[in-house]
Each structure stands twice: as C-alpha cells, then as structure tokens.
Amino acid sequence: MSDTTDLFPARLGYADPPYIGCAHLYSDHPDYAGEVDHAALIDRLESEFDGWVLHASATAESMAILAPLVLKTGARWMSWVKGFAAFKRNVSVAYAWEPVIIKPARKPVVSKRLVMRDWIECPITLRRGLTGAKPEKVCHWAFEALGARPEDDLCDLFPGTGAVTEAWRTWRGLFTLPGGVPLERRAA
C-alpha cells in the first residue's frame, strides 16, 4: 500500500476478465480478444494502480496459474460465496464460490456501515447481458476491502455490462448528501 494514498485520491483497478479457459463464452462480445494473459494483467494492476480487485474462477487450473502471480503482489485471496448459483449438468458439486483477489490501496476503514470479512455471500445475477456480471453487493464489498474512498478514481478494465461502473456510482452515492455534496465537505 502506498503511503501517499492516505493523503491523495487513489487510482483503483477493477478486473473481472473472462476466467481462465472461459474466454470462448464471450466470443460474440465486441471486445472479445481471446484468452486473457493473466501475468500481463497482474503486472498492469501492479504498475498502474494503488489498489486493485481481480475476480477469478475456483477451478484448480485457475488457482494454479494465479497463485504464483499473486504471491509476489501481497494481495489477499478473498471469497464470494454464492447462496444461489447456477447448477450445471454433469457437474456433481456446484461451483458456488469464487476467489476475489484484493490488494488494498489503503487500510480499509471499519465502520458501522459494514462488518468486514474476507468473504461475502450473495447470489449470482441473472439476465444481466453477459455471463458472470457481478452483483452490486459484491462490488460494494470489494470497494470497502480496497479501502476505497469516494474521491478515488476507479478504472473498470473489463466493463462488459457496466455493472462494476454502476456499482461504483451507487457506492460513491452512499457518501453524498442530497444535492451532490460529499459527506466530508458538509462540515465546511
């Protein structure tokens, strides 16, 4: 974590790429570029951002590839547990959780708004335009774990449905008084 992010707005990266081995599911999307180079992606997250989020698959292949790449960053493996998940034919044990790898920009603030845990339970989204669109609740939890502040700059590296960008807008709105005045300016 950078010492300067406590004084200045942080640059935050949010990466929800096609999961390892699943790029083919997005071949009809206009941004489709084949499999994601996760080593290059993590290098980019490290070099361009003060803090970042990376969503991943809970498959053995995904974790085996990502673990050594993440180890050098100091990021933390967290979990999104899906109370309602898609059950697939011929898969006897459902994939009902996903790793969410987070490198905070600054120490998260413990407040009465949210009890911080390294996991969140939230059902999947349905009919959001793309497989894997993240629920607002999951994004809000990730923003909190990032130590995000409303004045920070969030870059959604894989915008897909726009769900992350919209969640950032609604999360930032939690800190704004009616009329658009940020909470930290109300005492001035």
Side-chain angles (χ1 to χ4, degrees), residues 40-174:
L41 174 58
I42 291 171
D43 284 345
R44 179 179 180 198
L45 290 168
E46 279 290 285
S47 67
E48 294 182 23
F49 302 98
D50 299 307
W52 49 265
V53 175
L54 173 60
H55 287 271
S57 170
T59 65
E61 177 187 15
S62 176
M63 290 195 276
I65 290 169
L66 292 174
L69 301 172
V70 171
L71 181 63
K72 65 183 179 183
T73 69
R76 182 165 178 177
W77 289 73
M78 301 172 91
S79 181
W80 166 27
V81 179
K82 305 167 187 176
F84 169 78
F87 292 85
K88 296 181 168 98
R89 184 182 306 197
N90 299 324
V91 177
S92 56
V93 178
Y95 288 96
W97 76 279
E98 291 183 12
V100 182
I101 304 160
I102 300 179
K103 183 170 183 184
R106 59 180 72 87
K107 186 175 181 177
V109 175
V110 177
S111 71
K112 292 181 180 178
R113 289 182 291 120
L114 180 71
V115 175
M116 290 303 299
R117 293 183 171 90
D118 63 356
W119 60 272
I120 187 167
E121 186 281 325
C122 181
I124 63 170
T125 60
L126 296 173
R127 295 182 217 65
R128 291 285 297 270
L130 285 173
T131 299
K134 296 301 171 276
E136 181 180 70
K137 181 179 175 182
V138 172
C139 296
H140 285 191
W141 164 78
F143 302 152
E144 295 283 343
L146 263 174
R149 293 183 184 159
E151 67 271 14
D152 291 340
D153 177 35
L154 180 82
C155 178
D156 182 359
L157 278 74
F158 296 86
T161 63
V164 170
T165 300
E166 176 60 13
W168 178 247
R169 186 192 67 74
T170 60
W171 181 83
R172 290 176 73 213
L174 297 174

